[in-house]
Amino acid sequence: AAQKSCVGWQHSTGLLAGHSSGLARGRVVDTSLAEANSFSPSMTISPSSMINQYKFEDEPELRDLFITVDDPESHITAIETFITYRVITKTSRGEFDSCEYEVRRRYQDFLWLKSKLEEAHPTLIIPPLPEKFIMKGMVERFSDEFIETRRKALHKFLNRIADHPTLTFNEDFKIFLTAQAWELSSHKKQGPGLLSRMGQTVRAVASSVRGGVKNRPEMFTEMNDYMETFSQKINVLDKIAHRIYKEEREYFNEMKEYGPIHTLWSASEEDIADSLKGVASCIDKCCKATEKRMAGLSENLLPILHEYVLYSEILMGVLKRRDHIQSELDSKIDALANKKADKDLFSEEIGKLEDKVECANNALKADWDRWKQNMQCDMRSAFTNMADNNLHYYEECLATWESFLASQTVDCHGEEDSEDRP
Amino acid sequence: MESSEAEPSESRPEEDGAAPGSEPQPPDTMEDCLAKKMEITVSEAEKRTGRNAMNMQETYTAYLIETRAVESQNEGQCSPVDSLWRRYSEFELLRNYLLVTYPHIVVPPLPEKRADFVWHKLSADNMDPDFVERRRIGLENFLLRVASHPVLCQDKIFYSFLTQEGGWKEMVNETGFQLKADSRLKALNATFRVKNPDKRFTELKHYSDELQSVISHLLRVRARVADRLYGVYKVHGNYGRVFSEWSAIEKEMGDGLQSAGHHMDVYAASIDDILEEEEHYADQLKEYLFYAEALRAVCRKHELMQYDLEMAAQDLTSKKQQCEELATGTMRTFSLKGMTSKLFGQETPEQREAKIKILEEQIQEGEEQLKSKNLEGRDFVKSAWADIERFKEQKNRDLKEALISYAVMQISMCKKGIQVWTNAKECFSKM
């Protein structure tokens, strides 16, 4: 099994929270990415075919961690009803005791994992989780459609983590994938409680509002500006895509009625009955093609756009957290400037904070570059796929109508084909 | 070639009403009919204002009818074009005249008076230029249909409609056709218990009802489909704008996004022409929707003639019976007169003689009338059925052609779609 070569990145969770041992001030951290493969949006859930599903961009990366999320199951207890998903992990990594794991996880567990990752890596871009509820669209909490959409998103979530050069080695991630239910429960109970974690977040947000922007490096201001526009645009795109889906559905509904009228008419006719039935059959086929087109949208473009809507929120949050880390340093520096006493103590603290800031900045910068590349890849593939869908739709319809035309123009009307347009 | 919707309107040489004054004789062959003597077009439409019958100002559209005699090819010279303006109401007057004068003919319908079966982007306003344009085409089609009809083309009122601007209205009214009109024909809901209608006409009436019902259903759904299709295309246009804005913040993706956005705009814009073309297809179907009514009118006329015939026969029978009773003194049927005469005394033999004489005259008249009505009825059935056969062939030809043209339109739409999405795909893949 190939070793992942993550140059410059340490593997333990505690690094960025305060250890200065591995990262002295001034050392340049290599931010080259070990893996540049894109994440293929179309995942099947069959473990055996997973290897073929990954599109490798630059290097044929030998993955050593494969995860699937499938088999949603409903659990009813006296207190609540909830769904668990089966998470299967196959790996060749040494740090895993076994090479295959099968566990059951519920949405809460995913939430826990996400918050642990955010805690450990405040300026890394943690992939988005599907939302708790979907208000618009009025999808019932446990409808099949809702569960399936959620399952796919959870699957993607775990795989994005697995793809991430740093997050993939996170200890909580490993526990999530491997621990039995009771083990996970007891592990969850350790560590800072929910309230204290919430407090951290609140403080982070508050401080950034107050203005941790003072000494913000130009690069991060640029990122901020970019994210604001990107966030706007991706939200609009999401709406547009949903609107198109809705319009296509309405079109499909009308087409369903349109074809059969011709069949009905053919029953009163003799000479033109065949032509009418032919038209009815063409319309029905085009109707089915529309359904396929819609399915393509909902399987591909819609989930990706939605994911990036969530990503834009995450990224704004990451930028804020970075600002907060910086503001801690800035306020300590300010305090030092004011209080002349205890310089030594302060300078040690400031040293640590400066390390922290540098780590955070570097982590974010590297992760940002990686995110942008993935985003570009995902968008390219999602929109290309959408174009493909539409192409197939029109090609199918064209074939249908052309074959009808051929059947009709046997006798007198020689070339009925429209002229080729330039 | 018979008049057809798919062809451009200008070059349709048709024939004219050749001999004014003579009784219209159905020609022996189709060849005699299509003399190709006259080119007819409705070439322009113009908004006019004038005063109506109640001296109130009104706005209406006038249509320019141009006619030109088609010279034989030897001449090689173009004859001058005659033209005159007519408004829709005059077309209506012409048609009503034809309906009354030729009740055995399936008279071609006029394009709709008001826009119907509209989908939301299409205006229901009579003054809307697109509606006016489609109506112009419809009116021209009407004239060509009449001009190519073996019987109708010979009518002098029709000929004057095409050639005589002034005094035409008076001429039509002088024919007194309104008096001949059977008001019962308009009352389509009234039922007449006809005992022995020609079964073919009964079947035909059912067919015309079915045709009317299915075509209106089809047109309604087609309008809704058009509406939805419009929505799908136009929303894609939003991509264009957002891609452009997004491309401003992207370095590598910018070009691909920008050019893809342009193709989305092209896609969104393409639906307008596509649906405009489809309106012409809808108009072709509409013509036959209205033709169904004309078909029904002929069946109705037969029904009424048959009804009148049966009533006349019934009346004759009862008169004969009455006569017999009076002659023989027996009262086979109950009658109030008979009762009163029993109660209040019989009439004198002279009175009875007088009555019998009157009845016998009436019976004589009645028998002659019955004979002529029978003859009329048979002639009507014969000539009506001949025209119905002609109509059936025309309908099958036209509708098949319309369906083919619909397929051609769909093919064109698909090809456009393939082109746009191929281009878009290329741009996306360069992102």
Side-chain angles (χ1 to χ4, degrees), chain A residues 286-349:
Chain A
C286 291
C287 200
K288 288 199 177 67
T290 293
E291 224 181 358
K292 260 206 310 200
R293 180 168 66 162
M294 273 165 52
L297 255 189
S298 90
E299 270 162 31
N300 229 292
L301 185 66
L302 295 183
I304 294 262
L305 289 178
H306 187 66
E307 219 188 323
Y308 277 89
V309 165
L310 294 174
Y311 254 131
S312 66
E313 284 165 31
I314 289 168
L315 275 150
M316 295 298 269
V318 168
L319 285 167
K320 281 202 178 86
R321 283 202 290 272
R322 190 220 69 86
D323 283 348
H324 169 68
I325 291 172
Q326 171 151 350
S327 76
E328 279 182 340
L329 170 67
D330 289 346
S331 56
K332 268 284 166 359
I333 290 179
D334 284 349
L336 179 66
N338 294 336
K339 293 182 187 172
K340 290 356 174 345
D342 242 340
K343 264 205 179 147
D344 295 328
L345 193 65
F346 262 54
S347 60
E348 198 191 325
E349 267 189 62

Side-chain angles (χ1 to χ4, degrees), chain A residues 25 39 50 110 120 140 250-251 257 283 405:
Chain A
R25 237 168 61 194
F39 183 79
M50 248 196 302
F110 286 84
E140 231 211 69
E250 308 274 7
Y251 174 69
E257 207 187 317
I283 293 175
L405 195 65

Side-chain angles (χ1 to χ4, degrees), chain B residues 338-396:
Chain B
M339 283 311 297
T340 51
S341 59
K342 272 226 151 126
L343 290 170
F344 299 110
Q346 300 242 351
E347 44 198 5
T348 63
E350 291 82 23
Q351 281 174 325
R352 214 188 320 145
E353 277 304 319
K355 275 207 190 125
I356 290 175
K357 195 136 200 245
I358 291 172
L359 273 174
E360 279 176 348
E361 274 174 30
Q362 286 178 346
I363 287 169
Q364 177 102 340
E365 250 181 73
E367 287 201 317
E368 278 172 27
Q369 269 191 20
L370 193 65
K371 218 194 250 173
S372 76
K373 272 201 161 82
N374 250 312
L375 210 68
E376 244 180 72
R378 275 203 293 274
D379 278 344
F380 178 88
V381 167
K382 186 161 158 231
S383 51
W385 204 255
D387 197 53
I388 284 164
E389 292 295 343
R390 181 206 61 81
F391 167 77
K392 274 189 190 166
E393 272 181 43
Q394 172 199 300
K395 172 208 72 160
N396 288 333

Side-chain angles (χ1 to χ4, degrees), chain B residues 28-43:
Chain B
D28 295 324
T29 62
M30 281 306 251
E31 293 311 311
D32 292 353
C33 175
L34 296 174
K36 300 190 181 184
K37 280 195 177 170
M38 187 190 260
E39 256 181 55
I40 305 172
T41 60
V42 176
S43 53

Side-chain angles (χ1 to χ4, degrees), chain B residues 44-49 60-64 85-86 127 132:
Chain B
E44 276 171 51
E46 212 176 73
K47 219 176 186 174
R48 299 268 178 90
T49 45
Y60 62 92
T61 310
Y63 299 88
L64 183 67
W85 293 89
R86 294 258 184 244
M127 289 295 157
V132 168

